[in-house]
Amino acid sequence: MQRAEPQEFSRVLSSMCTEPHPTARAAAERFLATNPGDPGTYESVAALEREAVDLLGQVAGLPDPAGYVASGGTEANVQAVRIARNRASTRDPNVVAPASAHFSFRKAADILGVELRTAPLSEYRANLEAVVELVDDDTVLVVGVAGSTEYGRVDPIPALAELAADAGALCHVDAAWGGFVLPFSDHEWDFSDAPVDTMTIDPHKMGQAAVPAGGLLARGPELLDELAIDTPYLESTSQVTLTGTRSGAGVASAVAVMEELWPDGYEAQYRCSQANADWLAAELGSRGYDAVEPVLPIVAADLPDDRIAALRERGWRLSPTEAGEARVVCMPHVTRSMLREFVADVDDLADGRGA
Ligand code: 0PR
């Protein structure tokens, strides 16, 4: 039988994952057979996880962070909703999030039995008046997105955090994708900018760690304690994570790559990715395709549906936004020469040379 090979990254345009950094890959391999879910047995990876949380805290402006390395942004978002629900006393909890919030919040609402209220957007960001209208005495969590999945937009986090505090609710920031680019932009998004309570920030996206490595941060250990479950037969007596056995490879790779790249390497990557996004938006714009301004390194451009289909047939891994635009996420593997090839294919198809 022929050996299966992973896909190449040379035509992957819409993924939020990327090739792991070489340091991340090496560390992942070394720690494949470790389980941070059992820190009594796997001590060194448990120590690495504490380092991972400290490093994530540095990235997100939180000097003394609580948290853990999750399986991904979905788990981190589910757990943030769970913290807020468990902490509150209402019997009819609701979560208010912008319509741009990732679908993982719908999973959270379904699993946890909370009502998800989504506020309409203006200019791709949470509309504050709409959020105010939805918040009430039963609101346990207000969510802001810092780097939205489709358009890379950043919600007005300080205003949302203030609103949450006034309502006696927690404020969660979903920076799953944006967390490793935002420190170098002039957005207000992190724990030092606003009284944010919890945050999702994923090393396995822009952080260039191996999958799976998501991040959940909490302002203090008492918030994480809302998740604690007794674990009678393990050496550790309680567990806050959603999954039991977990990937030590993800944890080790996250630490290795953050130590290597934070902050200078990540800043260089952000500048390169942003320049690529600006270049692509300008190239497509000059050809008459409407491109949404890439505030962060994500380009959404209004290519005709049949053109997107034809590009896919040429091997480009390109997925549309809900509104139908072609969406290019300028991840580290998305180079300028790759984008030049892509634009050449767009031109070729526009010239009627078919699929
Ligand atoms: N929060 C935000 C803002 C996200 O964009 C995503 C994922 C999540 C949370 C959930 O993270 P996990 O997928 O780690 O649980 N956004 C991408 C999406 O759903 C995920 C993705 C990644 C999709 C790689 C495709 C792909 O190839 O579109």
Side-chain angles (χ1 to χ4, degrees), residues 18-21 24-25 28-29 203-205 207-214 247 249-251 253-254 257:
T18 193
E19 254 174 313
H21 188 276
R25 186 183 289 274
E29 273 175 17
H204 74 199
K205 295 191 172 71
Q208 300 176 50
V211 177
S247 168
V251 170
S253 76
V257 67

Side-chain angles (χ1 to χ4, degrees), residues 12 14-18 71-77 100-105 107 145-150 174-178 200 202 204-205 211 213-214 319 327:
V12 172
S14 299
S15 182
M16 289 195 147
C17 294
T18 193
S71 55
T74 298
E75 180 184 339
N77 284 340
S100 53
H102 187 256
F103 54 75
S104 46
F105 289 99
K107 298 183 185 177
V145 186
S148 59
T149 308
E150 292 203 318
D174 184 357
W177 178 79
T200 295
D202 289 353
H204 74 199
K205 295 191 172 71
V211 177
S319 57
R327 169 172 162 274

Side-chain angles (χ1 to χ4, degrees), residues 2 13 37 55 64 74 82 105 111 137 174 189 192 196 202 256 258 261-262 305 324-326:
Q2 216 187 337
L13 292 178
L55 284 159
D64 202 7
T74 298
R82 190 169 155 225
F105 289 99
I111 299 166
D137 290 347
D174 184 357
W189 68 286
S192 69
V196 171
D202 289 353
M258 286 190 283
L261 296 183
W262 173 259
D305 292 352
E325 296 124 336

Side-chain angles (χ1 to χ4, degrees), residues 315-331:
W316 294 104
R317 311 300 354 137
L318 187 63
S319 57
T321 61
E322 204 176 337
E325 296 124 336
R327 169 172 162 274
V328 176
V329 187
C330 293
M331 296 301 293

